[in-house]
């Protein structure tokens, strides 16, 4: 199996953390979807990473589908609960965390355009999503050890990946001061080998 990805994508980081947690062998093929010679559209018509290339030649995307597949491939250690209520809760956390990553990536791209082309209104709209998302996650996490049922799961992996991306691209956000519950979770997650091995690199 191969994972086609950049080393900065928060979506790919979720997948890489799951691979590490489950100890699944997978070659990482670095491909930046913005570069002129990218091969990503050959594997994903949407031109986005991550893409999983399976040994039978088939491809899987996006990160949520890949993570589900990895959970089926190797159910232990379990990162997606079987209990339906908990599963839906984990998926909701994942959607919220991925939404923050999405808004952050959108701002990053907007800021790469020439200043004449950039829309501050558009950037502010994305910043509002990030701020509201962080507030909601911080409130929901509260004093709980982990996002769902006090147990480490895909929810924590998605949240940790989104927070790591904010640290990487938006260090000026200083979210830790405003969202102490998330700061505490991020500190706990950073101790895990899977998180330490997948910190985004430029
Ligand atoms: N929902 C997708 C999002 C993937 C995504 O947006 N990836 C970005 C990198 S962080 C990308 O490849 N963008 C290239 C493009 O939009 O053309 C997932 O979870 O995999």
């Amino acid at each position: 199996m191969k994972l086609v990805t950049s080393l900065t994508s928060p979506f790919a980081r979720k997948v890489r953390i799951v691979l590490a947690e489950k100890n699944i062998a997978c070659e990482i093929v670095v491909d930046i979807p913005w570069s002129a010679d990218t091969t990503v559209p050959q594997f994903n018509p949407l031109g986005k990473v991550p893409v999983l290339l399976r040994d039978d030649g088939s491809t899987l995307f996006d990160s949520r589908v890949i993570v589900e597949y990895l959970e089926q491939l190797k159910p232990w250690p379990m990162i997606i609960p079987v209990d339906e209520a908990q599963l839906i809760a984990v998926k909701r956390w994942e959607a919220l965390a991925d939404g923050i990553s999405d808004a952050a990536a959108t701002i990053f791209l907007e800021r790469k355009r020439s200043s004449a082309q950039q829309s501050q209104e558009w950037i502010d709209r994305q910043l509002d999503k990030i701020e509201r998302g962080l507030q909601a996650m911080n409130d929901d996490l509260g004093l709980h050890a982990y996002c769902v049922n006090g147990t480490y799961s895909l929810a924590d992996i998605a949240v940790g990946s989104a927070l790591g991306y904010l640290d990487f691209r938006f260090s000026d956000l200083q979210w830790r001061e405003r969202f102490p519950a998330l700061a505490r979770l991020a500190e706990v997650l950073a101790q895990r080998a899977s998180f330490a091995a997948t910190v985004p690199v430029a």
Side-chain angles (χ1 to χ4, degrees):
M1 264 188 333
K2 295 180 184 174
L3 186 71
V4 180
T5 186
S6 74
L7 297 179
T8 57
S9 165
F11 308 102
R13 191 178 182 198
K14 274 193 312 176
V15 174
R16 291 164 63 212
I17 290 170
V18 171
L19 286 165
E21 296 284 357
K22 292 179 176 289
N23 200 15
I24 297 173
C26 183
E27 183 186 337
I28 304 292
V29 178
V30 177
D31 193 326
I32 297 156
W34 314 109
S35 62
D37 60 349
T38 180
T39 63
V40 173
Q42 292 173 25
F43 307 120
N44 175 358
L46 302 175
K48 295 185 178 193
V49 292
V51 185
L52 189 74
L53 309 185
R54 292 162 73 189
D55 293 339
D56 65 1
S58 61
T59 58
L60 286 182
F61 49 84
D62 60 9
S63 65
R64 296 186 206 183
V65 175
I66 299 172
V67 163
E68 285 270 357
Y69 169 70
L70 296 176
E71 183 78 350
Q72 286 176 18
L73 188 70
K74 194 168 177 194
W76 195 256
M78 184 184 287
I79 54 142
I80 302 175
V82 176
D83 174 88
E84 272 189 29
Q86 287 176 26
L87 184 149
I88 292 297
V90 165
K91 290 290 175 182
R92 183 181 186 277
W93 274 97
E94 185 184 24
L96 187 50
D98 281 8
I100 289 172
S101 295
D102 231 351
T106 301
I107 296 172
F108 175 69
L109 292 179
E110 183 70 7
R111 286 184 177 159
K112 277 174 88 165
R113 284 150 53 98
S114 72
S115 47
Q117 284 180 313
Q118 284 180 34
S119 161
Q120 191 55 46
E121 197 185 341
W122 180 243
I123 291 174
D124 288 345
R125 189 173 168 84
Q126 306 308 318
L127 283 171
D128 285 347
K129 293 177 198 293
I130 295 173
E131 200 66 19
R132 287 193 304 262
L134 291 174
Q135 186 68 63
M137 295 197 309
N138 192 73
D139 292 347
D140 287 354
L141 181 60
L143 296 176
H144 301 292
Y146 292 107
C147 298
V148 177
N149 199 35
T151 308
Y152 178 67
S153 74
L154 176 60
D156 306 288
I157 295 171
V159 171
S161 298
L163 296 175
Y165 188 69
L166 294 181
D167 282 341
F168 178 59
R169 294 285 191 217
F170 302 92
S171 52
D172 54 324
L173 260 188
Q174 309 222 326
W175 57 268
R176 282 177 174 75
E177 289 164 20
R178 282 169 294 125
F179 307 111
L182 296 178
R184 180 181 44 76
L185 177 65
E187 205 176 314
V188 170
L189 296 175
Q191 312 299 318
R192 300 184 80 91
S194 59
F195 273 80
T198 56
V199 173
V201 284

